[in-house]
Amino acid sequence: MKFATITGWGKCMPPAVLTNEDISTFLDTNDEWIVTRTGMKERRVSHVSISKLAHIAAARALAAAGVAADDVDLIIFGSCTPDEVVPNNASYIQLLLGIKKAAAFDLNTACTSGMYALSVASAMIKTGAVRTALIIGAEVITNIQDWKDRNVAVLFGDGAAAFVVQGTEKNEGLLADKLGCFAESRDILRAHGIGMRYIDGRSMRGGVWWDFHGQEIFKKAVLGMCEAAEEAIAQSGLTTETIDLVVPHQANLRIIEAVGKRLKIAPEKIFINIHKYGNMSSATTPVALVEAIEEGFVKPGMHILLPAFGAGLTYSAHVIRWGERVKPLSLAEIELPPCEKTGLEMIREYIECPRAAGSC
Ligand code: UT7
């Protein structure tokens, strides 16, 4: 196929909210600091596994595309907080959806994982290797949070989104993309405690601590997002003036504003939902795009720019021409189980009993 385009979209947001006021009950912080420094008001805490969130988001994306599970021949699970490493998380989503023969793999570039997945799936579609891909950006980052560290604890939340990407002969979908990584900046954002080098038992909840050089990340984020955006826009044959909508990674409102200013894109063209969810890492840009569609910001034929960055320090920018359809073909009859606890109650449990539930 000549082109690869998004034909289905879906998200799954856990219902439990953790507000700035909630966090200030156990950390030395306050609503005013968090809002003025980041733009965040609240975030979500998942009461279910990442697989459950991703399964529902994916089922919604398939329904929106009108695609039968068995037509999917590639699943990419973008995340840095999978349920398991071996076997991978993508194969579990495959099993849950009843997909029979898809290729399935996980992809981790931290916050850009969902966007890297869009590049990989589109490229594989264009080579003819696959026809219909399901890509997922999901994160349950509250599980690897250091709830004693106010520098990071206020910034993140949980969520998931998925897209169906399909081959088409129509000139739409991914027009251009630029992926990159400032590897020399690996050390400015690191979650210690996850991975084989920490196999001494100090891992996962309560055993995770972060290196986080906020201002360095800020600068590299703006640089990476802007350079990638400029390159992707040029490659697409468009100009910044002909970009209709920007759906950026939502890590800090001030980062988004700096990117808009440097690219000379008017603030009213930039979609923002950071106040509701904070930074959901791999899920952030995917959830933002789904909400931009659901809330009527995406119109047929629009040119959309998606700039993102994450630990690594990875960065990306995608330029897509949206197709004709902005409404789902159908809706999936699948919902999360009810959540009996508040966000604050769940976080207090993590703090009091940092090992995974059941092991205390
Ligand atoms: O997707 C990748 C995720 N990473 C990011 O998004 C990070 C990008 N960086 C940022 O978003 C910003 O740098 C932050 C929001 C993390 C921090 O904002 P800042 O304007 O760079 O603040 P700062 O780090 O310079 O800290 C200013 C002050 C410090 O106090 P002193 O030294 O001036 O007395 C901090 O200790 O704010 C203090 N501070 C806090 N105060 C209340 C840091 N965190 C908090 C907090 N509540 N949560």
Side-chain angles (χ1 to χ4, degrees):
M1 286 284 179
K2 230 165 145 194
F3 302 97
T5 191
I6 294 174
T7 57
W9 52 90
K11 71 178 198 277
C12 181
M13 297 307 302
V17 169
L18 184 73
T19 65
N20 293 348
E21 285 82 5
D22 289 336
I23 299 179
S24 60
T25 64
F26 61 87
L27 275 180
D28 179 19
T29 188
N30 57 73
D31 180 58
E32 204 254 327
W33 190 96
I34 302 172
V35 171
T36 53
R37 297 292 176 130
T38 71
M40 298 170 188
K41 290 289 292 175
E42 54 190 48
R43 64 288 296 142
R44 301 293 174 92
V45 181
S46 185
H47 63 303
V48 297
S49 68
I50 194 168
S51 298
K52 192 79 199 165
L53 293 180
H55 173 208
I56 294 178
R60 289 175 176 160
L62 288 175
V67 163
D70 244 358
D71 290 336
V72 172
D73 43 21
L74 171 68
I75 303 165
I76 309 179
F77 187 88
S79 181
C80 51
T81 51
D83 268 334
E84 292 180 290
V85 177
V86 182
N88 69 22
N89 222 126
S91 61
Y92 190 38
I93 304 304
Q94 176 172 0
L95 183 72
L96 291 170
L97 290 167
I99 296 171
K100 294 284 184 300
K101 289 184 185 158
F105 62 90
D106 293 359
L107 185 159
N108 170 16
T109 55
C111 300
T112 56
S113 305
M115 303 318 298
Y116 267 60
L118 177 62
S119 290
V120 176
S122 300
M124 288 178 74
I125 287 168
K126 289 181 191 181
T127 66
V130 299
R131 297 172 71 88
T132 298
L134 176 64
I135 61 169
I136 296 164
E139 216 77 83
V140 286
I141 204 146
T142 58
N143 286 273
I144 61 157
Q145 197 50 266
D146 181 350
W147 292 105
K148 297 180 295 310
D149 183 355
R150 70 176 183 175
N151 289 301
V152 291
V154 303
L155 300 177
F156 295 94
D158 302 336
F163 298 103
V164 173
V165 186
Q166 292 188 282
T168 177
E169 293 301 332
K170 285 191 248 164
N171 187 356
E172 63 179 50
L174 184 63
L175 301 184
D177 51 349
K178 172 67 189 170
L179 308 180
C181 178
F182 299 123
E184 72 282 6
S185 297
R186 293 183 83 232
D187 296 341
I188 65 176
L189 207 183
R190 166 170 286 118
H192 292 271
I194 317 160
M196 296 309 132
R197 65 188 280 191
Y198 304 103
I199 206 91
D200 60 357
R202 273 195 86 192
S203 63
M204 299 312 288
R205 288 179 186 159
V208 180
W209 69 106
W210 292 48
D211 292 337
F212 196 83
H213 302 269
Q215 293 186 357
E216 274 307 301
I217 302 168
F218 195 116
K219 286 183 220 152
K220 278 283 161 56
V222 175
L223 183 70
M225 287 164 100
C226 288
E227 285 187 355
E230 281 160 357
E231 216 173 309
I233 291 169
Q235 208 189 102
S236 70
L238 300 173
T239 61
T240 42
E241 293 76 48
T242 51
I243 293 292
D244 301 300
L245 181 69
V246 182
V247 183
H249 180 56
Q250 319 260 328
N252 188 321
L253 188 54
R254 292 183 295 139
I255 292 179
I256 297 172
E257 287 166 353
V259 169
K261 208 165 155 197
R262 179 165 156 180
L263 294 177
K264 297 194 176 60
I265 292 181
E268 52 277 14
K269 283 188 178 177
I270 305 178
F271 183 80
I272 308 280
N273 67 355
I274 191 170
H275 50 290
K276 295 196 283 182
Y277 306 130
N279 180 353
M280 296 172 285
S281 183
S282 309
T284 306
T285 319
V287 168
L289 181 56
V290 171
E291 290 206 335
I293 303 163
E294 289 172 346
E295 293 173 15
F297 289 91
V298 174
K299 309 259 191 268
M302 258 191 172
H303 292 132
I304 306 172
L305 172 69
L306 303 139
F309 75 97
L313 196 140
T314 61
Y315 55 87
S316 61
H318 295 73
V319 177
I320 57 180
R321 180 178 295 137
W322 198 259
E324 277 309 304
R325 195 162 50 76
V326 290
K327 296 279 172 218
L329 284 176
S330 61
L331 300 175
E333 286 178 22
I334 183 164
E335 296 292 340
L336 282 173
C339 178
E340 310 295 344
K341 292 177 184 158
T342 66
L344 183 57
E345 280 167 350
M346 282 190 273
I347 298 307
R348 282 203 179 281
E349 279 174 19
Y350 293 170
I351 294 168
E352 280 155 27
C353 176
R355 289 270 153 206
S359 65
C360 284

